Amino acid sequence: MDGKLARVVPPTLLIALLIAVWWIVVARADSPIFPTPGQVATGAWALAQDGTLWQHIEASLFRVEIGFGLALLVAVPLGLWMGWVSGAYYTLNPLFQMLRPISPIAWIPVAILWFGVSDFSPIFLIFISSVFPMMVQTTVGVRTIDRRYLRAASNFGVSRWVLFRRVVIPAVLPEIIVGMRIGLGVAWLVVVAAEMIALNSGLGYLIMDSRNAGNRYDLVIASMIIIGVIGLLLDGATRLLERLDTVKWRYVR
C-alpha cells in the first residue's frame, strides 16, 4: 500500500465500521429517539434541498471568518512585538496569562451585555477565544529562536530591523501557522456554543432548534457530523500553508 492509500484507506474503513456499529445498535434497540445513519442522511438531505442547511452553515462561517480574522490581525503583530521586545513581554505577558485561562463561555454574559443578541456577540467570543493561542504561539516562537543565529547576524553588522524582517519573521512563520490551526479550531468550537445560547441562526442554533422543535434528533446528529466535517476542512485548509516554500523546511521529516 503506497503512502496516499495508507493515509486514506484505514480512516475510511474505521469510519465505515463505526457507522455499521451505530446502525446495528440502533436497529436492535428499536429506539424511537436515537436515529439510524439512514434517517440522519435523509434529514440532512431535506435541509440541504430547501436551503436551510446552507443558510446556517453560511452564518456560522461568516462569524468565524470575521472573529478569527480580527484575532489574527491583533495576535500576530502583538506576539511578534512581545517576543522581540523584552520590556513588552514582561509588561503584558502576566495580564494575558491571567486572561487566557478564562473560558470563552464565561464571556457570553459580558458579550450579550456589550453587544446584545446580534452577530457581534459571537464574533467577540471568537475573537477573545482565538487571539490568545495565536499570540502565545507567536511570542514563544520568537523567544525560542536560537540566539546563535541572531548573534551571528549581528556580528556581520545587520541592523536590528533587517534582522527582525529577514531572520525572525521567516523563523517564526511555522509557529504562527501552528497558532492559527489552534486558534481556528477553538473559534469553530466557540461559535457553535455561542449560537446555541443567544442567536437564531447558525449550526449551533440548528442543533437547539431541532431538539426543541419535535425532538428531531436526526437533525441534531446531522448537524454534529456537519460541524465535525467543516472543522476538518478548516484545519486542512490551514495546513495548506505548511506547503509554502518559506515554511516547508519546518515540516520536513
Side-chain angles (χ1 to χ4, degrees), residues 70-80 127 130-136 138-139:
L70 292 174
L72 184 65
L73 291 176
V74 172
V76 173
L78 194 56
L80 290 172
F127 171 84
S130 57
V131 70
F132 293 119
M134 290 190 285
M135 185 181 61
V136 169
T138 305
T139 303

Side-chain angles (χ1 to χ4, degrees), residues 44-58:
W45 178 245
L47 282 182
Q49 280 189 312
D50 66 15
T52 304
L53 179 61
W54 309 118
Q55 292 173 4
H56 289 300
I57 291 176
E58 183 181 1

Side-chain angles (χ1 to χ4, degrees), residues 199-216:
L199 292 173
N200 56 8
S201 63
L203 290 169
Y205 168 78
L206 178 60
I207 290 177
M208 295 303 294
D209 187 57
S210 300
R211 187 188 69 87
N212 295 333
N215 291 333
R216 291 294 305 273

Side-chain angles (χ1 to χ4, degrees), residues 6-42:
R7 288 195 295 269
V8 173
V9 173
T12 303
L13 291 176
L14 177 61
I15 292 173
L17 177 64
L18 291 175
I19 292 175
V21 171
W22 167 16
W23 205 316
I24 293 171
V25 169
V26 174
R28 289 197 172 187
D30 195 22
S31 171
I33 297 177
F34 293 105
T36 64
Q39 292 170 326
V40 171
T42 302

Side-chain angles (χ1 to χ4, degrees), residues 127-201:
F127 171 84
I128 205 74
S129 63
S130 57
V131 70
F132 293 119
M134 290 190 285
M135 185 181 61
V136 169
Q137 196 71 31
T138 305
T139 303
V140 171
V142 176
R143 295 186 66 82
T144 54
I145 294 175
D146 194 328
R147 297 296 157 180
R148 290 177 299 176
Y149 302 136
L150 302 180
R151 284 195 292 268
S154 298
N155 291 337
F156 283 104
V158 176
S159 68
R160 189 171 171 82
W161 165 243
V162 173
L163 184 65
F164 180 76
R165 185 167 53 88
R166 301 290 295 273
V167 178
V168 172
I169 291 181
V172 81
L173 279 178
E175 299 297 334
I176 293 176
I177 293 175
V178 172
M180 289 174 63
R181 289 184 62 192
I182 298 172
L184 189 56
V186 175
W188 187 241
L189 183 74
V190 169
V191 72
V192 173
E195 289 168 348
M196 293 176 73
I197 296 173
L199 292 173
N200 56 8
S201 63

